Amino acid sequence: MGKKIGNAINRIGIPTFAVGALLLVLLIAAGALGQSIPTLISDILKRIGMNGVLVLAMLPAIKSGVGPNFALPIGIEGGLMAMIICMQFDFEGWGLIGAATLLCILFCSILGFLYGKLMNAVKGAEMTIATYSGFSMCAFFNILWLAIPFSNRKMGWMLGNGLRETIDMKKFGAKNIISDFLAFKIGKVTIPVGMILTLALLCFITWLFFQTKTGMAIYAGGQNPRFAEASGLNINRNRIIANVFSTILAGLGIILYSQGYGYTQLYNGPMNMAFPAVAAVLVGGATASKASIPNVLIGVCLFQGLMTTGMPVMNQIFTGTDLSDIMRIIIQNGVILYALTKVKSGGDR
Amino acid sequence: MNDGILEFINVGKEYSGHAVLKGINMDVRPGEIHALIGENGAGKSTLMNILFGMPVIHETGGFTGEVRVGGQNAKIMNPHDAMEQGIGMVHQEFMLIPGFSITENIKINREITRETLMSKFFGQRMELLDHKKMAGDARKALDIMGMDIEEYTKVEGLPVGHMQFVEIAREIDKTGIRFLVFDEPTAVLTESETEHLLDAIRKLAAQGIGIIFISHRLDEIIRVSDRVTILRDGEWVATEETKNITAAEIARLMVGRALTLDRTEGSRQISGEEILRVENLRVNMPGEEVKGVDLSVRKGEILGIGGLAGQGKLGIANGLMGMYPVKGKVTFKGEPLDVANNSETLKKGIAFLSEDRKGVGLLLSSPIDLNIAFSAMEVHGKFIKKVGPLSLTDRKEIRENAEKMAKELDIRCTSVAQNAGALSGGNQQKVCVGRALCLDPDLLLVSEPTRGIDIGAKKLILDLLKSLAEERGMTIVMTSSELAELRSICDRVLIICEGKVAGELSPTDSDEVYGLMMSGVSKEEAMKASGAVQGDSLQKGGAVNG
């Protein structure tokens, strides 16, 4: 019996199981403490919608053998730049979202291509170098936010030049524009249909991509580069394609995130956004070399569920402390650490 | 009588139920040069690992039998015990520190020190190195080998041959060294260095050190050794006084097999047409370097490529598939072929079964059907359906194709959706064959097709290859370390030695000729020597009769 349970846990994966169990405990505790469960579930759904695409961005990178995309900030900065430029020209509402999406795909393709080149040059040490290239890219964009003469007063400081740290999406009529699209309520629970549809659509596109000849080649190159090479594939090119894809998803992800959050966060905002996304996909049962759409979806539900539920529950139990954030950091980094110990050998050869 | 003698008594070793050594008896007397010879996998390394108490032996359940030194069970459980017993080894890879002088390398961790004022108070760690004495010892060791190089020269930049001597000097400088093992010491040396080394070995023996000399170069063995022991497939075959045996006889004993694969003449259609021509092929494959190979393959034949490990036979097929940096002129079906671009090679109809089945041949954690379809899908665009602008994989077709292949090739699996990693070696190889067949090649390069496959399945794989040639008219180039295998299905066999083609043999040539050619003897000499064996035995027969 004990053995059976052990096997079951192993099949689900220890992080998935542990986080799942913790989430369950917290939800029960929340109910017992008299928290409003419908509000909590509405929050969880919203955060799943906001973060889902950022987690999905891990998939192409992992499948191609590069490993989790720790350089998520690169794509995020591309997405932010697209939004800021569209805001500069006073696009509003759906126009802003649409224009930013197109521009984001352009920017992120270029950034992803360059990043892919870098990843091919550092095979075997992708994860570390990706982390730091993400950080460096943030610093570089910090300069751009200050140096490029954006002139739209809605984005500037009260005094002086440069962009503000957070820009209110409400001023551009884009706050919650996707979240509220077709949204409806079941009892007190709000279902953010627009965001869930967007996430579903992007998941479908990703899935479809990996059914194509190119997608299959990328997958094989990630699984066994020597095998792919023997089949006459250009692995480096495929890795670049995967990184471009991942970077574009990151850019689209931040657009979706920002409208849900109501603000675009510039400067060091994107710096640490890779870690929750990496942790989420790993919690979902992915490894540094294998991932699937279900891993992404399960992961984002569990991880964001935990984050959302943890905060009010912890704050109520331990009043006046910041325990929920400490817990977030422990779980997030703990899961990443656990997953990294499972990496057999980085890259190929 | 057995004072100071080293004996292996009935030594055996199993790795997870698979016997690699069976009942080996061998002894080495002081002052004797005892050669140990056998093909790859004959058990030489395992025997030496046992002698040195290497962890790989004791972690896998130890060995049976006894190793005795001077008539007593030596109980060697780790390399340190072996050193205590006075057994040393000259390694193939040099274990020297480049930035140190020769003396320092020889004396490392056995430095001679002298007392100083400081050491009187702070103990031995504060003693100074006695460079003079150390240099004297080093000089002595170098002199034994007749090496006139200065002992304070840095090892860095020494020629390979000299490094080998420093390594030997370190061993003989150890006090109480009684037995010394040389593992392929001449593999990396030039001819004159080899000469020098053999002299040194003789000198060491003359000082009463027992020497085990492992080499695959028969001429060296004949020249230097007193006795020779031949192993084959983990079994003891013979121990002979070297003066009573010829190189040809050693070769025959080394190669000859009790268990042979029967050769059946096939009904192949070999046309005179040349399908592949390779000129001056150079492949930089680590450990299997090819240094200028010319060969020609006729349409419809099965060409065998044989030779000892490390001589470059595996490099040929890998080079043709662009798996390693490659140079040379290759003509396929009358057109020049750019072998560095392997997607073109595959498109033009050459397929490859790698010797590294798990590393290169398969996607272990993907289903069988995908493994079979993959190459054809990527190379020829098979199993693809167009949906609008997208070219999607056709799962249904992939599945059906795999089921057809599984039936045709008799792949034993519960379903083609099973992961390839779950299959046995033989079945994995069949999956690889299936993948190659989907490419519909005209020329199939096969490397070590039966490596890691049990004996029953071996025959199946070989029969399969033969039927491909006979029924589909496929041309096959098969590379293998197992001569019996090559000789059972090939039409011609090329022997590769030191990165070049040593010569071409017919599958029906004798064991002696094969053995001699693999150890670098030219074909004419090999033929002559093997002829001499027959002559010898006739003479002996005559003498007995007389």
Side-chain angles (χ1 to χ4, degrees), chain A residues 208 211-213 216-217 219-220 223-224 226-227 229-233 290, chain B residues 324 342-343 346 359-362 365-366 374-375 377-378 390-393:
Chain A
L208 199 63
Q211 299 305 308
T212 65
K213 193 176 149 188
M216 212 46 114
Y219 164 75
Q223 287 288 300
N224 183 346
R226 304 279 295 150
F227 173 88
E229 212 178 316
S231 292
L233 297 177
K290 225 176 172 194
Chain B
Y324 293 94
N342 68 347
S343 94
L346 287 162
V360 179
L362 291 169
S365 47
S366 293
F374 188 82
S375 296
M377 189 165 84
E378 296 297 339
L390 299 170
S391 39
L392 296 181
T393 53

Side-chain angles (χ1 to χ4, degrees), chain B residues 41 53 131 202 218 341 498 513 518:
Chain B
H131 282 285
R202 282 194 202 99
L218 293 173
N341 176 359
E498 294 179 349
V513 179
M518 291 205 304

